[in-house]
Amino acid sequence: MKRAFCDHCHFPLRTCVCPFLGSLIHNRCKIVVLQHPSEVKVAKNTVRLLSLQLSNIEVVQGESEADFSDIRSRLKSQVCALLYPSENAMTLDETRVQQEQPNIETLVVLDGTWKKVHKMLMLNPWLMSLSHVSFANLPENQYHIRKAEQAFSLSTLEATAHFLHLYEQISPAPFYQALAGMIGQQTRHMPDHVKLRYLSDE
């Protein structure tokens, strides 16, 4: 028997996240997520939550330069930046006033493991030619359900929420509420010994 899915959030009914979603968040800076194909069907992937919360977001699946040819062409007419902690990245922090922030019309965010993101960057040198932005300080990782590869890792939702908080003064609370709701829905169906493996560090 096929699983029943929610018509709105498209999660299985037993893990529906609709009760944890607030009003649609209207962001001026467009978020373009380049999502590695291996992440598309991951139940715990946070891009699905972002797509339900933001009014101005586009998700493009792919890995190679050919996969992203259309979005790359459309981005040429916009002021774009890549959210990536390179050596030359502009750092955003709480102390900058709005007038001091870099002008960004579209933020490109890569969604995948660090290994997959690195491969996407190698296959798409045009991404490295974009301006890069990063954070002076990172918020505490809330994504306990999926172990981070690096101590400083944030989920795509957390990184995007932090950017919008610093760049547009959008509260990150609704994003974290949805994330906590998804984690709760996913873990309540886990056996206790598996649940402890994920949540023991909380």
Side-chain angles (χ1 to χ4, degrees):
M1 180 183 294
K2 291 185 178 180
R3 288 189 297 175
F5 288 82
C6 173
D7 291 335
H8 177 64
C9 72
H10 304 296
F11 279 77
L13 287 178
R14 70 199 301 251
T15 57
C16 173
V17 298
C18 289
F20 312 103
L21 301 174
S23 302
L24 192 65
I25 298 167
H26 296 279
N27 52 307
R28 296 189 308 276
C29 179
K30 182 174 183 177
I31 304 298
V32 171
V33 179
L34 304 185
Q35 185 177 52
H36 192 274
S38 64
E39 295 292 321
V40 176
K41 293 185 179 181
V42 174
K44 302 185 291 289
N45 186 273
T46 62
V47 170
R48 297 171 71 182
L49 293 180
L50 276 178
S51 298
L52 292 165
Q53 293 176 286
L54 293 176
S55 65
N56 196 7
I57 183 171
E58 181 176 357
V59 181
V60 183
Q61 283 94 28
E63 181 182 57
S64 69
E65 194 165 7
D67 294 332
F68 301 127
S69 60
D70 178 65
I71 188 65
R72 181 187 179 189
S73 177
R74 288 187 282 124
L75 289 177
K76 287 181 179 179
S77 62
Q78 302 172 37
V79 181
C80 300
L82 175 69
L83 185 60
Y84 187 73
S86 62
E87 291 183 359
N88 298 320
M90 302 174 286
T91 55
L92 304 180
D93 60 49
E94 299 273 3
T95 63
R96 288 194 179 203
V97 297
Q98 188 66 21
Q99 291 81 358
E100 295 175 340
Q101 302 285 23
N103 178 34
I104 303 171
E105 294 177 337
T106 300
L107 182 75
V108 179
V109 183
L110 303 181
D111 182 57
T113 64
W114 276 104
K115 183 178 180 180
K116 297 293 177 56
V117 164
H118 178 72
K119 185 175 182 181
M120 290 168 72
L121 288 171
M122 295 301 99
L123 293 174
N124 293 273
W126 63 275
L127 289 171
M128 298 306 292
S129 68
L130 299 176
S131 298
H132 294 177
V133 293
S134 187
F135 306 127
N137 300 291
L138 293 177
E140 182 180 354
N141 189 312
Q142 304 290 317
Y143 194 26
H144 306 291
I145 197 173
R146 199 173 182 189
K147 296 300 183 182
E149 298 170 88
Q150 308 288 342
F152 51 82
S153 294
L154 294 176
S155 67
T156 302
L157 178 144
E158 292 170 294
T160 303
H162 193 51
F163 169 82
L164 291 174
H165 171 59
L166 296 176
Y167 194 70
E168 294 191 29
Q169 291 75 56
I170 293 175
S171 172
F175 299 100
Y176 289 126
Q177 174 179 293
L179 180 62
M182 183 188 75
I183 290 173
Q185 292 289 70
Q186 294 285 341
T187 56
R188 72 190 179 97
H189 297 290
M190 291 179 178
D192 288 341
H193 70 282
V194 177
K195 187 184 303 185
L196 286 172
R197 189 188 310 159
Y198 285 105
L199 304 180
S200 59
D201 295 333
E202 284 190 333

